[in-house]
Amino acid sequence: MKKFVLFCCICGAAFLFYYLDNTSENAQIELPTLHSKNALLLNEKGDVLYEKNADAIIYPASLTKIMTAIVAIEGSVNLQKQTIVEPQTITKFTAQNASMAGFKAGDFVTMEDLLYGTLLASGADATGTLADAIAGSEEAFVTLMNNKAQELGMDNTHFVNASGLHDDAHVSSVRDLSKLFRYAIENPTFYQILTSKSYITHVPNELTISSSLFMKIAGADGAIVGGKTGYTPEAGLCLASIIEKNGKRYLFITTNAAGQAWTPPQHIEDALTAYEAI
């Protein structure tokens, strides 16, 4: 009888420990006022720890490139396969004043080069070349992007292009983007690229591609371990980030912070605020 009572006590204590630990992990986190109008903080299991206007329809800007990259990775048999950067691709995106990775017309580049150009430098020259190499045209590639969005349950998302350049019909929500981000970082190739600080391409003339995120967070190493920035005047400053603290990983997605790409990075300030509050 005593052994049975002791067994019950041990089981009860174990259950209580699990319950309290699980409850603590799932507890809502209070954040000070954020610069971003839309935000969602998740733990590793996908539990929502904080949200702010998470289902509002927003413009995803260059967070679009998360989808571009994962579709390209899954559509590539060999990341060392070479393709050429077409002159019309450079002309098209230069005319739209899009951010560029630095590839030149006529460069022979690998799919890996283009993926680093997409996620680190947020280059439209990279996304346009990827789209052509994978699907034959950007229009056909966008169909693949929308198919993947539907597969992931991104019901408020519709892509029009692979770069994130503004279009009134190119929309998402931070909750949808969290579904995409959680899915994408489970891919080892995607995760490796996203968390890199820089990369040297395989083109004949070496091109060093630096992370647009890590260039802005000097001195905050260890808090944000990787992420994708975005900006258009309509979308504001956007960020999908991976935060690590006390051996645990968190995802924080924000959009619609005031400012421009060259002003104080309020979207990154929000991510560091979340880091302190966890």
Side-chain angles (χ1 to χ4, degrees), residues 24 45 50-51 55 84 89 99 104 115 122 135 138-139 154 182 185 194 197 223 234 242 254 268-270:
S24 174
K45 296 180 290 186
Y50 174 86
E51 64 178 282
D55 294 306
I84 191 170
T89 299
S99 59
K104 294 180 174 60
L115 287 166
S122 203
E138 185 172 27
E139 292 75 18
M154 299 170 65
R182 284 189 68 212
I185 65 172
L194 188 76
K197 293 185 177 181
E234 298 82 2
I242 305 170
T254 60
I268 296 173
E269 290 177 18
D270 284 348

Side-chain angles (χ1 to χ4, degrees), residues 55-266:
D55 294 306
I57 301 300
I58 55 90
Y59 300 120
S62 284
L63 301 191
T64 298
K65 295 183 175 85
I66 298 170
M67 179 64 87
T68 304
I70 193 62
V71 168
I73 290 169
E74 293 181 347
S76 298
V77 176
N78 177 12
L79 294 183
Q80 300 311 313
K81 177 183 177 182
Q82 288 194 335
T83 188
I84 191 170
V85 180
E86 298 290 351
Q88 57 266 32
T89 299
I90 301 300
T91 301
K92 171 184 175 181
F93 291 112
T94 300
Q96 296 180 73
N97 198 31
S99 59
M100 307 287 269
F103 297 112
K104 294 180 174 60
D107 279 348
F108 282 95
V109 294
T110 66
M111 304 303 287
E112 184 179 48
D113 292 337
L114 295 171
L115 287 166
Y116 276 94
T118 294
L119 288 176
L120 295 192
S122 203
D125 48 350
T127 63
T129 305
L130 271 178
D132 288 343
I134 296 293
S137 69
E138 185 172 27
E139 292 75 18
F141 187 82
V142 168
T143 297
L144 300 179
M145 294 170 64
N146 283 319
N147 288 345
K148 177 61 73 172
Q150 187 176 21
E151 176 188 321
L152 295 176
M154 299 170 65
D155 297 331
N156 292 320
T157 297
H158 178 71
F159 295 112
V160 174
N161 57 62
S163 64
L165 286 170
H166 180 72
D167 187 294
D168 286 345
H170 190 95
V171 296
S172 190
S173 69
V174 293
R175 197 178 309 279
D176 274 9
L177 291 172
S178 75
K179 296 175 183 178
L180 169 61
F181 199 43
R182 284 189 68 212
Y183 174 82
I185 65 172
E186 292 304 313
N187 182 287
T189 299
F190 182 97
Y191 188 86
Q192 178 182 338
I193 296 171
L194 188 76
T195 56
S196 297
K197 293 185 177 181
S198 64
Y199 171 81
I200 299 176
T201 68
H202 299 149
V203 297
N205 297 316
E206 290 185 350
L207 173 66
T208 299
I209 298 175
S210 298
S211 166
S212 59
L213 170 62
F214 285 120
M215 289 172 64
K216 297 177 186 294
I217 59 173
D221 285 354
I224 302 173
V225 299
K228 181 72 196 74
T229 59
Y231 170 77
T232 64
E234 298 82 2
L237 295 168
C238 308
L239 177 63
S241 56
I242 305 170
I243 300 170
E244 283 189 0
K245 189 171 185 179
N246 299 326
K248 295 182 179 180
R249 187 170 72 179
Y250 303 85
L251 303 184
F252 193 46
I253 298 93
T254 60
T255 63
N256 259 315
Q260 288 83 36
W262 56 89
T263 59
Q266 295 187 347

Side-chain angles (χ1 to χ4, degrees), residues 10-82:
I10 293 172
C11 290
F15 175 79
L16 182 62
F17 176 81
Y18 171 81
Y19 175 78
L20 291 175
D21 182 66
N22 195 54
T23 300
S24 174
E25 177 68 14
N26 294 340
Q28 291 288 310
I29 291 175
E30 293 294 329
L31 293 183
T33 301
L34 296 176
H35 301 293
S36 302
K37 295 179 182 178
N38 314 91
L40 191 66
L41 176 65
L42 308 174
N43 64 15
E44 284 186 292
K45 296 180 290 186
D47 300 317
V48 175
L49 304 183
Y50 174 86
E51 64 178 282
K52 176 183 178 183
N53 301 322
D55 294 306
I57 301 300
I58 55 90
Y59 300 120
S62 284
L63 301 191
T64 298
K65 295 183 175 85
I66 298 170
M67 179 64 87
T68 304
I70 193 62
V71 168
I73 290 169
E74 293 181 347
S76 298
V77 176
N78 177 12
L79 294 183
Q80 300 311 313
K81 177 183 177 182
Q82 288 194 335

